Amino acid sequence: MANFENVNPLSDFNWDEFENGSSVNASKEELTNAYDETLNKIQEHQVVEGTVISLDKKEVVVNIGYKSDGIIPASEFRYNPELKAGDKVEVYVENQEDKLGQLVLSHKKARLQKSWENINKALEDDAVIQGYIKSRTKGGMIVDVFGIEAFLPGSQIDVHPIRDYDVFVGKTMEFKVVKINQEFRNVVVSHKALIEAELEAQRKEIISHLEKGQILEGVVKNITSYGVFVDLGGVDGLIHITDLSWGRVSDPHEVVTLDEKINVVILDFDEDKKRIALGLKQLAPHPWDALESELKVGDHVKGKVVVMADYGAFVEIQPGVEGLIHVSEMSWSQHLRSAQEFMKVGNEVEAVILTLDRDERKMSLGIKQLKEDPWETIEVKYPVGSKHLAKVRNFTNFGIFVELEEGVDGLIHISDLSWTKKVKHPSEFTSQGAEMDVVVLEIDKENRRLSLGHKQLESNPWDEYESIYTPGSTHVGKITEAMDKGAVITLNEGGEGFATPKHLVKQDGSQAQLGEELEFVVIEFVKDTKRIILSHSRTFEEVKEEQPRRSRGGNNRKAEQQPAQINNVAAGTSLGDLGVLADLKKKMEEGK
């Protein structure tokens, strides 16, 4: 509402002219101008001061000296319950006239704009301001500063880590503005910044009096996975996890607790980097100094596995005294294995001391020594010629490694797998993990090696083949393998022979194929090299017809009556052209 208390009546106003309308226009313009001159000149989007005319629970009416008053929601003044008529307030002019001709004002925006000015000034001047901690949020607290919500990071509440943020909610504290984001209107404040300067001077004073080896009392301030931070009265030091105890520590909580008062020793410090290294275990004597003087190499000890690695296990035989059991000392077996296959952390084990160095504080242990070395009596348990059941461990191109028992391995050479079968790779003969019978051929105790055989479990069939596969005898065989240089023929009586392509030609001129079963003539038999040379072509060639056929078993007596020269030539013939032999025979007969 407009204020008309100071408006005086016009004594010379002509009511007759006003009623006749003769001078009303001139008077209205003059009155309008006169009225406008009595109003304040205001602009939109600026902050001006106004006076509270009236207020109730919903609205506050404010006069800024304009032609109409502004109405502001009472909620914008909730922070000031003492507000009353006549109070001066700052308002923000949003609009001089809305659609209803009403002046639109905002106290909240005026206060916000003023607050931003105050906050920016506080940052520029590095001033100390007061704020009200409204609530807790992720990573910190929300603080009301000049009506603006600012963020207080948890790390900026105090120089000490805060474990309970809720105790600060509802408190009014002093802060410094440390960062403002003008674009997003974000404000960050700090309480820690107020006390850091004082602490810095205190820290320098404390560090200047520190000495290595000095023992101080401190309070456990923070516990991490890698160590413990201790407050030494204004300056922090770190006890690394390895300096908490002479024994193994997996979690610092096992040794200390928060807020606990402890004595520590200064190990090292850096004045420039303000780092202080502390020790706790150094206040106690080293466990190795208390190790029994009678303990020696060869003694049996008991302990607990505290650390596992692929190469071995660390066993604590008493707090702070550990020995290493290398994986090679866990079993007499020569196979490369991981230590985890034998034990795990927490296992109680018994071991034998292998080495003991008190000066270096090192000890090596073994558990395989608790059992007898199987190689000490290898000749008794596995004499040459004895037969055993072994387990296939792995293959090589030249043979099979098998295990007779833990710690006793042997090699079966590929040539000792079979009397008759030509094995290209051991994996064709058996599989890894399978069991097979073996016989001990040779013992090398010094190098812990056994030479084993498998074929020696049976008699040598080549002793029998020598009388069966005589040169010139005929036998039935099946082509089981074909290649460019010839074919492998499996003979019905046992064993395998070989025929070149020339000797695989059938009577109709075609070449014998894989899988065919045919008659073959023995051209050559060599027992030492286990070689049988065969020919199918000789079963139908002319020379075959002139020469009495031997029986398939090689017992044809007529063949035995042939001249010795012929037999010798035939026995010595391998892969040559046997047509030359036939001509030679014919000439000899004609010469008789």
Side-chain angles (χ1 to χ4, degrees), residues 31-51:
L31 288 172
T32 300
N33 293 333
Y35 176 69
D36 289 341
E37 289 177 359
T38 65
L39 302 177
N40 289 332
K41 302 295 183 181
I42 66 170
Q43 295 180 354
E44 294 182 354
H45 310 304
Q46 70 174 3
V47 177
V48 297
E49 187 177 67
T51 304

Side-chain angles (χ1 to χ4, degrees), residues 133-143 149-155 157 164-166 168-169 187:
I133 299 179
K134 296 174 60 177
S135 62
R136 178 181 174 180
T137 187
K138 184 178 180 181
M141 317 290 286
I142 299 298
V143 181
E149 289 188 346
F151 177 61
L152 172 64
S155 61
I157 298 176
D164 185 8
Y165 288 80
D166 293 332
F168 293 92
V169 177
V187 181

Side-chain angles (χ1 to χ4, degrees), residues 220-235:
V220 176
K221 173 181 175 181
N222 190 23
I223 300 176
T224 68
S225 60
Y226 56 85
V228 176
F229 287 93
V230 179
D231 184 358
L232 301 175
V235 63

